[in-house]
Amino acid sequence: QSALTQPPSASGSPGQSVTISCTGTSSDVGGYNYVSWYQQHPGKAPKLMIYEVSKRPSGVPDRFSASKSGKTASLTVSGLQAEDEADYYCSSYGGNNNLVFGGGTKLTVL
Amino acid sequence: EVQLVQSGAEVKKPGESLRISCKGSGYSFTNYWIGWVRQMPGKGLEWMGIIYPGDSDTRYSPSFQGQVTMSADKYISSAYLRWSSLKASDTAMYYCARLRGATTLRYFDYWGQGTLVTVSS
């Protein structure tokens, strides 16, 4: 199963909003409401930011929001802060006991 | 507090075998699937497979089937990832993570700190 498609990079200035897309197929993103998003700072383990398309785990700031339309999921970071600079990965259940990640997006806070 | 603590970094030669570990605490280890995720240097995350420590049921990503072996010892709350013959291309950071979902693989809510495996002659 192919990786989900994310833009390699995204950027925004402090206080601005930025949206990262994650495009799959009808067999993964489009077929299930099991899209999740992870934040990874350099040298650190990934951290769950969003699960089941738009739900935020306890402790994740509400500046992070997400949605899905058809085969494309999106993560929006509002009110950008320096600490949001990291790599972001989407993931989706792919059916048939399979899980697939996106290629990752490097978010730069200008 | 849920924690997954992985074994330390390894340096191995091609052809050698290796087993790395992931020890869970702060929750019922036997009741949640544990997944393994590879991250090659400078690259993205790749799902390798999952194991249910309660009965050692395993499901492998097609990309990793036959390349690695997952196992678990529920009595000491540990999961393992094993290679029988390492290749240079196995050089990567390996993460274990707790999976939410069973019939559908939903998301990883807690992650280990990672184990760096370096394979070099």
Side-chain angles (χ1 to χ4, degrees):
Chain A
Q1 190 148 10
S2 300
L4 306 176
T5 300
Q6 297 181 235
S9 62
S11 62
S13 299
Q16 289 187 331
S17 294
V18 64
T19 297
I20 299 170
S21 62
C22 169
T23 301
T25 69
S26 57
S27 297
D28 39 62
V29 174
Y32 306 93
N33 288 323
Y34 296 133
V35 177
S36 52
W37 290 88
Y38 303 89
Q39 176 191 65
Q40 186 180 35
H41 286 110
K44 299 295 186 181
K47 174 188 175 184
L48 177 68
M49 302 301 284
I50 296 286
Y51 66 99
E52 294 177 357
V53 176
S54 60
K55 299 176 182 177
R56 271 190 318 275
S58 174
V60 172
D62 59 7
R63 301 185 293 103
F64 291 86
S65 62
S67 61
K68 189 189 85 166
S69 177
K71 303 171 191 174
T72 298
S74 299
L75 172 72
T76 297
V77 186
S78 305
L80 269 175
Q81 298 182 5
E83 67 211 50
D84 300 332
E85 185 162 296
D87 293 327
Y88 291 85
Y89 294 91
C90 62
S91 178
S92 175
Y93 178 57
N96 198 26
N97 293 320
N98 203 13
L99 189 122
V100 61
F101 283 102
T105 298
K106 182 177 180 61
L107 174 60
T108 300
V109 180
L110 302 171
Chain B
E1 177 194 10
V2 174
Q3 282 194 314
L4 294 170
V5 179
Q6 298 185 231
S7 50
E10 301 274 3
V11 179
K12 292 289 189 180
K13 290 181 166 49
E16 292 186 331
S17 64
L18 173 66
R19 188 181 79 167
I20 62 175
S21 67
C22 170
K23 184 174 177 61
S25 62
Y27 73 101
S28 179
F29 189 74
T30 54
N31 289 350
Y32 292 83
W33 290 80
I34 289 288
W36 289 95
V37 175
R38 182 176 79 174
Q39 188 168 37
M40 299 178 77
K43 302 297 184 181
L45 305 175
E46 299 173 90
W47 174 68
M48 301 176 71
I50 54 173
I51 184 166
Y52 190 72
D55 61 6
S56 290
D57 186 15
T58 56
R59 300 172 190 172
Y60 290 91
S61 161
S63 300
F64 291 91
Q65 178 81 49
Q67 308 306 306
V68 294
T69 303
M70 294 180 295
S71 62
D73 185 336
K74 63 183 180 181
Y75 300 106
I76 58 171
S77 300
S78 293
Y80 305 97
L81 186 64
R82 184 181 185 276
W83 294 260
S84 58
S85 181
L86 286 160
K87 303 185 284 288
S89 58
D90 293 317
T91 294
M93 181 71 81
Y94 293 88
Y95 293 101
C96 66
R98 189 177 80 165
L99 177 73
R100 302 307 298 270
T103 53
T104 54
L105 314 186
R106 300 186 186 186
Y107 56 94
F108 294 112
D109 59 354
Y110 289 93
W111 293 68
Q113 83 277 20
T115 295
L116 181 62
V117 174
T118 303
V119 183
S120 174
S121 54

